[in-house]
């Protein structure tokens, strides 16, 4: 097996601690899934779809059989060598419960996939304790405060609710100017669940 370049890891980890630049080095579009069991939120799924440049680098470094996709072994290598290191910056994930910071659980089920030259990471987070959205507000932002990685929620179907009757709850995406970062120039969006 050839030696892999360190660029993807450097871009996701080392660049995240580098001096702020005028624009991010990597862009990723994010989708979220809130999982319900018994009417309570028990976990969250995330998927990050990367820009063409970073996707091409990941394929160059990890697509050992050059088929334009990742098999199980290649996906596992990405998970072990790149994604796992993002735990140091809690996977760009910021959770709050009723406005107070909530520790980010250890991810499970990581998978890297590629289609048409574009790479997507997906994984799950199981909450330490279920959250009843009728009485508590669970909210999530995906961001890199150093702005080496520019994360944005997808423009369409950014949030999916699973395990609950249609219409029982809905996702709300709000702009959070009070959480602006990168010298106040970047205003994140926050996803939360409302159950009337």
């Amino acid at each position: 097996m050839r030696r892999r370049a360190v660029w993807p890891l450097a871009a996701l980890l080392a660049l995240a601690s580098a001096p702020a630049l005028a624009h991010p080095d990597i862009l990723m579009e994010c989708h979220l899934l809130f999982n319900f069991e018994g009417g309570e939120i028990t976990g969250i799924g995330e998927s990050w779809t990367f820009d063409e440049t970073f996707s091409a680098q990941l394929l160059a470094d990890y697509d050992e059989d050059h088929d334009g996709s990742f098999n199980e072994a290649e996906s596992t290598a990405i998970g072990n060598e790149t994604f796992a290191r993002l735990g140091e910056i809690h996977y760009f994930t910021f959770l709050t419960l009723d406005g107070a910071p909530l520790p980010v659980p250890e991810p499970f089920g990581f998978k890297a996939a590629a289609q048409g030259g574009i790479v997507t990471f997906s994984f799950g987070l199981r909450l330490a304790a279920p959250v009843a959205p009728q009485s508590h507000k669970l909210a999530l932002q995906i961001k890199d405060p150093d702005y080496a990685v520019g994360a944005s929620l997808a423009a369409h179907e950014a949030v999916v609710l699973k395990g609950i009757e249609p219409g029982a709850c809905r996702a709300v995406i709000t702009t959070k100017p009070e959480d602006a970062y990168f010298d106040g120039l970047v205003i994140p969006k926050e996803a939360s669940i409302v159950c009337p």
Side-chain angles (χ1 to χ4, degrees):
M1 182 179 292
R2 64 188 174 86
R3 182 186 174 96
R4 295 188 179 96
V6 298
W7 196 90
L9 179 56
L12 283 174
L13 188 59
L15 285 178
S17 61
L21 302 174
H23 55 79
D25 297 279
I26 299 169
L27 297 175
M28 63 185 194
E29 182 181 73
C30 307
H31 287 83
L32 301 172
L33 180 148
F34 286 82
N35 188 68
F36 285 75
E37 295 177 25
E40 297 181 317
I41 303 170
T42 59
I44 299 165
E46 295 187 26
S47 70
W48 308 341
T49 299
F50 294 103
D51 62 77
E52 290 183 10
T53 300
F54 187 62
S55 292
Q57 188 62 53
L58 286 167
L59 283 162
D61 287 343
Y62 289 99
D63 181 18
E64 295 287 342
D65 57 9
H66 308 290
D67 67 351
S69 63
F70 297 124
N71 59 34
E72 185 175 349
E74 293 163 350
S75 177
T76 297
I78 295 173
N80 292 340
E81 296 175 15
T82 298
F83 180 74
R85 296 287 301 276
L86 297 179
E88 298 176 23
I89 48 177
H90 44 84
Y91 309 96
F92 303 126
T93 300
F94 293 76
L95 290 171
T96 58
L97 183 61
D98 298 327
L102 190 67
V104 176
E106 190 66 24
F108 68 90
F110 173 83
K111 181 178 180 182
Q115 184 173 14
I118 299 299
V119 173
T120 297
F121 289 178
S122 59
F123 58 95
L125 303 167
R126 187 160 187 88
L127 299 178
V131 173
Q134 298 84 357
S135 54
H136 297 283
K137 181 182 179 181
L138 178 69
L140 185 152
Q141 296 178 21
I142 301 176
K143 61 187 179 184
D144 172 14
D146 291 312
Y147 206 41
V149 176
S152 61
L153 291 175
H156 301 288
E157 297 184 348
V159 182
V160 172
L161 307 185
K162 180 182 177 184
I164 194 167
E165 291 294 324
C169 297
R170 62 186 176 88
V172 175
I173 297 175
T174 54
T175 301
K176 302 292 287 184
E178 63 271 32
D179 294 335
Y181 58 100
F182 193 60
D183 292 332
L185 297 176
V186 182
I187 299 175
K189 290 189 176 180
E190 179 178 271
S192 59
I193 305 300
V194 173
C195 300

